[in-house]
């Protein structure tokens, strides 16, 4: 699936509370709204992924377009989508996907 990456973050370390290691990664994307008449623009989505996946794109400055591969995982009894692969396809996102709508 091709998405517009608008941000990402990762955190790795050892919990002070439990002493257990942790690794958390998140990717933020702007996905086009789907629908009929009168539907325009993008909506924000957040996806979990391993920090090792994000390290492969760490040198890129968002926003940019990328091809991603998802897998379904069970987390706390809930099925969620997790990104397992991400490959940038363009240096910059389309102009319509960047910026904000601010009225003067």
């Amino acid at each position: 699936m091709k998405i517009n990456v608008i941000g990402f973050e990762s955190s790795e370390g050892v919990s002070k509370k439990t002493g257990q290691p942790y690794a958390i990664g998140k990717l933020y994307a702007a996905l086009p709204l789907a629908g009929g008449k009168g539907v325009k623009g993008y909506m924000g989505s957040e996806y979990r992924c391993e920090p090792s996946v994000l390290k492969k794109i760490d040198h890129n400055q968002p926003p940019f377009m990328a091809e991603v591969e998802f897998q379904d995982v069970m987390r706390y009894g809930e099925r969620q989508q997790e990104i397992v692969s991400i490959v940038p396809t363009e240096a910059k996102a389309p102009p319509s996907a960047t910026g904000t709508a601010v009225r003067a």
Side-chain angles (χ1 to χ4, degrees):
M1 171 183 203
K2 196 170 191 176
I3 64 169
N4 179 9
V5 176
I6 56 175
F8 50 89
E9 62 179 311
S10 65
S11 179
E12 296 177 85
V14 177
S15 170
K16 291 178 185 176
K17 196 182 244 184
T18 66
Q20 296 294 320
Y22 66 88
I24 301 167
K26 293 180 184 177
L27 183 124
Y28 302 96
L31 303 174
L33 291 171
K37 187 176 177 182
V39 178
K40 297 179 183 177
Y42 293 82
M43 65 180 240
S45 292
E46 177 184 310
Y47 298 100
R48 293 182 70 119
C49 58
E50 292 294 322
S52 59
V53 173
L54 294 176
K55 285 179 184 174
K56 296 175 184 176
I57 63 165
D58 196 32
H59 62 282
N60 293 332
Q61 180 64 36
F64 60 90
M65 298 301 291
E67 188 69 36
V68 297
E69 182 182 334
F70 295 96
Q71 96 180 5
D72 287 340
V73 295
M74 290 299 288
R75 188 167 277 115
Y76 305 111
E78 233 179 77
R79 190 174 81 183
Q80 298 177 352
Q81 282 190 322
E82 182 174 278
I83 294 175
V84 293
S85 170
I86 180 165
V87 178
T89 57
E90 298 174 21
K92 293 217 175 211
S96 63
T98 61
T100 58
V102 178
R103 191 174 258 180

Coordinates of all heavy atoms in Angstrom, one line a residue, residues 4-8 54 56-65 88 90-93 98:
N4 N 1.3 8.3 2.5 CA 2.1 9.6 2.7 C 2.5 9.6 4.2 O 1.7 9.8 5.1 CB 1.1 10.8 2.4 CG 1.8 12.1 2.6 OD1 3.0 12.2 2.8 ND2 1.0 13.2 2.5
V5 N 3.8 9.4 4.4 CA 4.4 9.4 5.7 C 4.6 10.9 6.2 O 5.3 11.7 5.5 CB 5.8 8.7 5.7 CG1 6.4 8.8 7.1 CG2 5.6 7.3 5.3
I6 N 3.9 11.2 7.3 CA 4.0 12.6 7.8 C 4.8 12.7 9.1 O 5.1 13.8 9.6 CB 2.6 13.2 8.0 CG1 1.8 12.4 8.9 CG2 2.0 13.4 6.6 CD1 0.4 13.0 9.3
G7 N 5.3 11.5 9.6 CA 6.1 11.5 10.8 C 6.3 10.1 11.4 O 5.6 9.2 11.0
F8 N 7.3 10.0 12.2 CA 7.6 8.7 12.9 C 8.4 9.0 14.1 O 9.1 10.0 14.3 CB 8.3 7.7 11.9 CG 9.5 8.3 11.2 CD1 10.8 8.2 11.8 CD2 9.4 8.9 10.0 CE1 11.9 8.7 11.1 CE2 10.5 9.4 9.3 CZ 11.8 9.3 9.9
L54 N 11.9 1.4 11.4 CA 12.0 2.9 11.3 C 13.4 3.3 11.1 O 13.7 4.3 10.4 CB 11.4 3.5 12.5 CG 9.9 3.4 12.7 CD1 9.5 4.0 14.0 CD2 9.2 4.0 11.6
K56 N 15.5 2.1 9.1 CA 15.7 2.1 7.6 C 15.3 3.4 6.9 O 15.8 3.6 5.8 CB 15.1 0.9 7.0 CG 15.6 -0.4 7.5 CD 14.9 -1.6 7.0 CE 15.4 -2.9 7.6 NZ 14.6 -4.1 7.2
I57 N 14.4 4.1 7.5 CA 13.9 5.4 6.9 C 14.3 6.6 7.7 O 13.9 7.7 7.4 CB 12.4 5.4 6.7 CG1 11.7 5.3 8.0 CG2 12.0 4.3 5.7 CD1 10.2 5.6 8.0
D58 N 15.1 6.4 8.7 CA 15.5 7.5 9.7 C 16.1 8.7 9.0 O 16.0 9.8 9.4 CB 16.4 7.0 10.8 CG 16.5 7.9 11.9 OD1 15.5 8.6 12.2 OD2 17.5 8.0 12.6
H59 N 16.8 8.5 7.9 CA 17.5 9.5 7.2 C 16.6 10.4 6.3 O 17.0 11.4 5.8 CB 18.6 9.0 6.3 CG 18.1 8.0 5.2 ND1 17.7 6.7 5.5 CD2 17.9 8.2 3.9 CE1 17.3 6.2 4.4 NE2 17.3 7.1 3.4
N60 N 15.3 10.0 6.1 CA 14.4 10.7 5.3 C 13.6 11.8 6.2 O 13.3 11.5 7.3 CB 13.3 9.8 4.7 CG 13.9 8.8 3.7 OD1 14.9 9.2 3.0 ND2 13.3 7.7 3.6
Q61 N 13.4 12.9 5.6 CA 12.7 14.0 6.2 C 11.2 13.9 5.8 O 10.9 14.1 4.6 CB 13.3 15.3 5.9 CG 12.6 16.5 6.5 CD 12.7 16.5 8.0 OE1 13.7 16.1 8.6 NE2 11.7 16.9 8.7
P62 N 10.3 13.7 6.7 CA 8.8 13.7 6.3 C 8.4 15.1 5.8 O 9.0 16.1 6.3 CB 8.1 13.4 7.6 CG 9.1 12.7 8.5 CD 10.4 13.4 8.1
P63 N 7.5 15.2 5.0 CA 6.6 14.2 4.5 C 7.3 13.5 3.2 O 8.0 14.2 2.5 CB 5.3 14.9 4.1 CG 5.8 16.3 3.7 CD 6.9 16.6 4.6
F64 N 7.0 12.3 3.0 CA 7.4 11.6 1.8 C 6.5 10.4 1.6 O 5.8 9.9 2.5 CB 8.9 11.1 1.9 CG 9.1 10.1 3.1 CD1 9.0 8.8 2.9 CD2 9.5 10.6 4.3 CE1 9.2 7.9 4.0 CE2 9.8 9.8 5.4 CZ 9.6 8.4 5.2
M65 N 6.4 10.0 0.3 CA 5.6 8.8 -0.1 C 6.4 7.5 0.1 O 7.6 7.5 -0.1 CB 5.1 8.9 -1.5 CG 4.2 10.1 -1.8 SD 2.8 10.2 -0.8 CE 1.8 8.9 -1.5
P88 N 10.7 4.0 0.9 CA 10.3 5.3 0.3 C 10.3 5.2 -1.2 O 11.1 4.6 -1.8 CB 11.5 6.2 0.8 CG 12.0 5.6 2.0 CD 11.8 4.1 1.8
E90 N 9.2 8.3 -3.1 CA 9.4 9.6 -3.7 C 10.1 10.5 -2.6 O 9.9 10.2 -1.4 CB 8.1 10.3 -4.1 CG 7.4 9.5 -5.2 CD 6.0 10.1 -5.4 OE1 5.8 11.3 -5.1 OE2 5.2 9.4 -5.9
A91 N 10.8 11.5 -3.0 CA 11.5 12.3 -2.1 C 10.5 13.2 -1.3 O 10.7 13.4 -0.1 CB 12.5 13.2 -2.8
K92 N 9.5 13.7 -1.9 CA 8.5 14.5 -1.2 C 7.1 14.1 -1.5 O 6.8 13.4 -2.5 CB 8.7 16.0 -1.8 CG 10.0 16.6 -1.4 CD 9.8 18.0 -1.1 CE 11.1 18.6 -0.6 NZ 10.9 19.6 0.4
A93 N 6.2 14.4 -0.6 CA 4.8 14.1 -0.8 C 4.2 15.1 -1.7 O 4.7 16.1 -2.0 CB 4.1 14.2 0.6
T98 N 0.6 18.3 2.0 CA 1.4 19.0 3.0 C 0.7 20.3 3.4 O -0.2 20.8 2.7 CB 2.8 19.3 2.5 OG1 2.7 20.1 1.3 CG2 3.5 18.0 2.1

